[in-house]
Amino acid sequence: MRWPLLLPLLPLAAGAADLKQRQCFPAQELRVCLWQDARLAARQDGGFGGGGEGDGWKPALAQSELRIYDSQGGQLSRLRVGRVSKLERTRLSDGGKPVFLLEEDHSAGFGSYAGVEARPFIVGARGIRFAQPEGRDPAQPFAMASALKSGWKEVRDGFLLASCAPDFPAKGEWDGETFRVSYRRLKLQDGQWRLTERSERGFWENEGDFPAERLFPK
């Protein structure tokens, strides 16, 4: 199964004057770089941790961009991403190609489910391929959430994802007390991403220890 190619070419002049290179990583013979609004790029946290997209930014912040460069420094393509974004390199690889994370901060300052979303991807000469587990609707991009009631952890062959939500009954009203914890494993195997899941009644919040790996499906 091929990963969907989700990196359209954009006009090279669009918004260029508003952006500044913030991060850059090698990807075999290529480089992947994050360009961000110059006002955010000047900050140590890049806007993560709050205050990234509030009304205090006049004019409004420009969209960040992922840009792909060849070995000679020529720009191959670019993709607009969230204003408050950052790149991380994982320990994983796909056929020798390093796996990166695009993290986008969607924190709202309140609530249990708004936070940072991370999307694994690899870089090739044709652009970026985001991880999309087998069997999932390609129109619904896959992301790993990190908020009060959701979190993830990198492991040897992929990622563990935990989340907690109300356990609504098939009939009647929720009692306001019963929750269900979902344990999912996103595994990179033979060039493909596979997602397995199990759930059970319980409660978990992303403020202490991450659940033990034995709780997750193989």
Side-chain angles (χ1 to χ4, degrees):
M1 176 179 174
R2 296 182 61 187
W3 295 1
L5 185 65
L6 298 177
L7 181 62
L9 295 177
L10 299 176
L12 297 183
D18 302 321
L19 302 179
K20 179 179 179 181
Q21 182 177 300
R22 176 174 174 78
Q23 294 177 286
C24 210
F25 292 95
Q28 292 186 318
E29 72 280 6
L30 306 175
R31 287 186 301 128
V32 55
C33 302
L34 176 70
W35 288 67
Q36 197 173 26
D37 188 294
R39 292 165 290 173
L40 285 179
R43 295 173 47 166
Q44 184 174 1
D45 61 4
F48 269 71
E53 292 194 75
D55 294 334
W57 297 103
K58 305 289 185 182
L61 293 167
Q63 289 287 123
S64 298
E65 292 182 2
L66 288 182
R67 299 184 183 181
I68 311 302
Y69 297 91
D70 62 23
S71 59
Q72 305 301 314
Q75 182 172 290
L76 300 177
S77 56
R78 65 197 215 178
L79 175 70
R80 290 194 181 101
V81 297
R83 292 173 175 82
V84 183
S85 299
K86 68 179 177 180
L87 287 178
E88 299 283 353
R89 178 168 180 169
T90 74
R91 298 186 300 273
L92 306 173
S93 65
D94 177 32
K97 294 181 179 180
V99 176
F100 298 95
L101 291 176
L102 168 65
E103 297 186 46
E104 298 176 289
D105 192 347
H106 301 293
S107 301
F110 59 89
S112 300
Y113 301 98
V116 176
E117 292 186 352
R119 299 176 63 192
F121 70 91
I122 64 168
V123 174
R126 296 179 59 191
I128 288 177
R129 287 180 180 170
F130 287 101
Q132 189 72 7
E134 288 184 313
R136 292 180 64 95
D137 183 356
Q140 310 252 333
F142 179 80
M144 305 185 301
S146 181
L148 179 60
K149 285 188 169 62
S150 59
W152 57 270
K153 176 182 178 181
E154 182 181 340
V155 291
R156 180 180 56 83
D157 56 358
F159 302 92
L160 305 177
L161 295 78
S163 61
C164 180
D167 188 13
F168 293 107
K171 295 182 179 180
E173 296 183 358
W174 180 51
D175 61 12
E177 297 180 355
T178 306
F179 286 80
R180 181 169 289 271
V181 181
S182 294
Y183 303 96
R184 297 187 292 168
R185 183 186 294 268
L186 179 67
K187 181 184 294 188
L188 179 58
Q189 186 174 25
D190 299 327
Q192 298 180 348
W193 291 95
R194 294 179 171 86
L195 187 68
T196 53
E197 180 177 4
R198 62 174 291 272
S199 67
E200 62 185 18
R201 282 189 172 180
F203 186 80
W204 176 78
E205 288 190 340
N206 194 9
E207 294 185 323
D209 293 336
F210 194 80
E213 186 168 354
R214 59 180 172 77
L215 296 172
F216 294 80
K218 300 298 184 181

